[in-house]
Structure formats: C-alpha cells, structure tokens
Amino acid sequence: MPTAPEDLRRFLTSMHPYDALDDEALDTLVPQFVVRTLPAGAAVYDIGAPLEGLHVVQSGQVEIRDGNGVVVSLLGPRNSFGERGLTRDGLAATSARTLEETVLLLLPVYAFDALVRDHAAAARFFDRSRAARPQRSDLARSRIETLMTTRLLTLSADATVQEAAQVMAAHRVSSICITEGAALKGILTLRDVSGKVVADGLPYDTPVSRVMTADPLSLPPSAIGSDVLHMMMERHIGHVPVTEGGRLVGMVTQTDLTRFQAVSSAGLVAEIAGAATPAEMARVTARIPQLLIQLVAGGNRHEVVTRLITDVADTVTRRLLALAEARFGPAPVPWLWLACGSQGRQEQTGVSDQDNCLFIDNAATDDDLAYFARLAKYVCDGLDEAGYFHCPGDMMATNPRWCQRVGTWRQYFARWITRPDPEAQMLASVMFDLRPIGGTVSLFADLQAETLEAASRNSIFVSHMIANSLKHTPPLGLLRGFATIRTGEHKNSLDLKHNGVVPVVDLARIHALQGRLPAVNTRARLDAAIAAGSLSGRGGQDLIDAYDLIAEIRLEHQARLVKRGDKPDNYLAPADLSDFERSHLRDAFVVIKSMQSAMGHGRGMPG
C-alpha cells in the first residue's frame, strides 16, 4: 500500500486533476494529504457533520447514503468525495461509510480551497461551473431587459396623429406607445402615419386610437434577445414593447439590435415565415443539425440552444397553421394550437418528434370539428415533412381525442386528477407541459389555472404523479459507477434523455404542480420553485447544476455525431467521456437520485 511521499505522488498524478499540476504545485500539495486507514463499517462522516476536507479512495470501498438512508453511490479506488459543500456551508449533505478496510487520502479544507483557488485545472474539475464556456455578449445570451429602451414616449388614446408625429419628430424616434395609466393599449409607428393617415388622406386630428396597432405583441423582460429578433422576422414588425404584469416597461427596436447577431437561427425563422409549402420548410429545417453544431461550438448554454431550436419549430407550426387557413378558409370558431413534450417546454434538441393538440371553442358544431380535423392533418403532415416526425404514441391533434372542444379538455383534466390510473398519470405528465403556439390563447389560460389548483389540492393525485415521476432513475451502478444499457443496439451506453434529463423534468413538473406554478420550461420551473420556497435554495441549485451538466453533455454528444455525419441521438458511451466528465456526470446523477429519494420519502407515496 503506497504511503511513502513518492508513492503517494505517483498515485495522485495518475488521475485528474493532479496530473495537470506542475512539479512545484505537487511539491506543495502532496505533503498536505493525510493517509487514513479505516476498518470495514467505519463512518467517514455523517449527515450534518462538518466536512474535514476532500477524500480520495486509494483502496477499498465507501458507501454514500442520502438523508433517507438510500444508497446513492459506491466508490472505489481513485474516486473522490466530500468536496461538495466545502465552499458553501461546509456541512455534509450525505453520509459516508466504509464497506471493507479502506485507505483514504484526506486533503484538509484549507488545502482544498487553496488548490481550487490557485489552479485552474483543479477548479474546473471540482466545480464545472467555474469552467464556464467562452463568454460572449451576443444576442442569444442577452436578456432583453439589457437591450430595451426604458425612456419611453407615451400618449393617451385620444391624442391626435399630428401630436404623435410631432413628438416622434422632436425626439427622432420611429414609434410611440399608447397607454392608459401604466397599461399598454397600442403602438403607433411612422409607417402607420404614412400608410394609414397620409396615404388614406385622413385629417391630422384623427385620434391615434383609429390608426394604432391595438394590443400589440409584447415580450417580458426575461425573454432573450433572439426572441425579439425571431418575432420581428416572423411577424414583419420593427418594434416590440416589453411588458411585465401588463405594465409597459420598455421597447426594443431593430436599431437596438444592430450590435447583436443571431444570424443562423434568425435566418431560419425568416425563411420559414416566408415559405409557401411544407417542402420549402423542410429545406430550411434540414439545416437545424448544422445550427446545433454552431450553437454548441459557439459556447451557448444548453437552455439557449434548445430555445433557439424550439423557436424554429414554433415558426414552422405557425406558418403551417396560416397555410392551412389559407387552404381551408377562416376557422369557424376560435381555436388554439398547443405543443407539449420538449417543444412545449422549449427544450428541443437535434432529436425531435411532434407532440401537439387543439383546443376548440365550445360553440363548435360537429361540422366545425370536421374543419379542424382537416386543419390538424395538414399541419401534422406538414410538420412530419419538415422533419418533426409523427409521434409514435399518437399524441397529436390528428388523433380525435386530442382535437376537442375546451369543455371536453376540461373533463379530461378533471378525470385524470380524480381517477389517477397509470394512463391518467402518463397523460397528465404530458399535458401539464402544454404551451400555446398559435390561435386564441385565452382558451387555455383559465383551464391551466383551474387545473393547477385542482391538481395541487388532490393529495392522492399528487402522490400518484410522484410515483410515476420516479420510474425514470439515474443510471448509477454501485460497483462500476454507471449502470449502462446491457443489451441491444445501444449496449454499454447511457440514455442521457430517459435516465438523465427526464428525471429532472419530472421533478420540476411535480414542484410546479404542487406550487401551482404556471411555468413550463424545466429550468424556469426549478427557479420558480426556489423563489416560492417549495424547493430549498441549496437543493434546488444542486439540482439545476446537475441538470445543466447532463443537458450540456447531451448536446455536445449530439453535435459530435452530426459532425461525423451520423444522426444525433441520446446514447452516450461512458468511455467517450474524459475522467473529468465521468466524475462530474456521476456526481450529477447522485444529486438527482438524492432529490428523487427525498421526494419519494417526503410526500406520502401510494402503497
């Protein structure tokens, strides 16, 4: 058993991150390790105990358990543990116990802190968040609250167009907002003045209310810059108001965006918005894999990459809806097209089928339903032709079950909540991720609020939903670190979707349900749960960190496949990862398993 300094040095430099340290750093570091030999069954530390420092297993085995006594990891030689929390509150969030005689190398807290402070390789290894990708101030990364103009020019609806034109001329701007108090009622642009007033010969004392764009499209301050650009490209507008809680807080114009670029994704959106056929759209969406490569290579975070890719799918859907109405005539009653699944959560990657449904006004007749059946077929077939393949589970608006009046949808949700059998659990999981894409949004707003309230109050339904969410577990193997797929085409690989991303998606959905949180995006749900206090700040941030790591490794894997000329998938062989990535991926899975265990033990699981 190596205990001499030269043997200890040889052992450490055979593993990351110590192999990246120079001789001088190693000369300082190696003597600071304390060698501890523990018998089988010895406690290394218990939950809540102060962490002494970083532990490295030199020989033997150590079992890690969470707060519910569930084994979350079994560590062998060359594995490290105990670093999580060293720079936070310094208390252990798990317990560690030896299973056989074990030799541990202990690096005290002060030495560990110095290691990660003074050496970038160690900082990257022990905290992936410190290994941030190259930072760029680009449109895709920037929230529009950093881009918008807050010095707003406003007029009331009874002001004249001449007054509005004079104000715009005096301030050399191209638009003015029409408000009632702090509420946005409309927007008037120079194009409106020339096209609606001058061209039509209207008198200059015409009220702005006659020619303004009433109830204009707007975005919240939390939207990202590319949301603005995509909206401008698709809707052919040059001004986007920014509102929060109905209040006007800012304005973004094309001029505001000149120093920002999101050319690739915005270019696709612009081409799709002008496409005349599904075939034309297919030629555009065929470039999405290349977009994925560019976005990943450009250092964009996973939530930005998936948002931009989902924007393309949203635009394809809305364009197909417009083409359908042009072909079949205007809809006889109000309707709303919604996406669920990854599109609903704005989390699409390079692998996407379609999941969607139609809400139809209760006034619809049976003949009206036949119209919407034709519309749904046109849109779903068009999505399929554009690369968003028909859902294998038939969760599409072409299925009459998912093309119904609002009253029928209200009955669906009520039945799923009051009788949560396995099918109801599955359907509720899908339908709680609904997001409006095109049509009359108000058809869904009240139903969403009612459903969240009813679901959160039904403890039996919540318990069944929790049970259903725990069916997808992280691929942790007690002996070899990972439990890979054992047979078939993807043997010896990890399913980063169903065993990595989906468990976090499910946990976030439960927190949204319990907290009546309307957010649909997974990361937004976790942030909202932390803000609402239903998820602890530390536990929530750990879960977000774990989700971020898995999602980014998944996207990097898909981008590598595309570069090789292969189709992107979710199956990754651990051997394709560096030691650094394997170590942190394992830690991420441990966090998720711990959060699942806490959810399962603390919420009254059904027997």
Side-chain angles (χ1 to χ4, degrees), residues 359-495:
F359 281 31
I360 305 167
D361 189 272
N362 285 328
T365 65
D366 288 345
D367 288 341
D368 294 337
L369 292 184
Y371 167 91
F372 287 108
R374 292 193 298 273
L375 179 141
K377 186 176 189 312
Y378 180 88
V379 175
C380 289
D381 287 350
L383 286 168
D384 183 73
E385 185 174 351
Y388 303 97
F389 306 115
H390 287 138
C391 174
D394 206 17
M395 299 290 295
M396 298 181 296
T398 47
N399 183 338
R401 190 178 184 185
W402 312 129
C403 181
Q404 289 291 341
R405 299 176 182 89
V406 173
T408 301
W409 279 102
R410 186 168 269 108
Q411 292 171 8
Y412 285 165
F413 279 103
R415 185 164 63 249
W416 294 335
I417 292 169
T418 56
R419 297 202 299 272
D421 57 31
E423 184 192 38
Q425 296 167 36
M426 181 273 292
L427 293 174
S429 294
V430 173
M431 295 303 176
F432 273 120
D433 292 351
L434 287 174
R435 180 172 62 89
I437 302 297
T440 305
V441 177
S442 59
L443 292 177
F444 177 62
D446 291 342
L447 177 59
Q448 182 190 36
E450 293 170 12
T451 301
L452 283 172
E453 181 177 359
S456 65
R457 286 190 284 102
N458 190 315
S459 60
I460 295 177
F461 173 75
V462 172
S463 294
H464 279 278
M465 287 290 289
I466 291 174
N468 188 61
S469 73
L470 300 182
K471 291 178 181 177
H472 294 107
T473 58
L476 285 169
L478 293 181
L479 296 177
R480 294 188 299 165
F482 294 117
T484 57
I485 297 171
R486 295 185 178 182
T487 60
E489 178 184 359
H490 304 295
K491 183 179 180 182
N492 297 327
S493 66
L494 304 171
D495 185 342

Side-chain angles (χ1 to χ4, degrees), residues 32 52 54 68 176 282 287 319 471-472 501 524 547 596:
Q32 297 184 82
E52 298 177 88
L54 173 73
N68 295 301
I176 191 166
R287 304 204 300 272
R319 184 58 182 156
K471 291 178 181 177
H472 294 107
V501 171
Y547 176 62
Q596 286 185 323

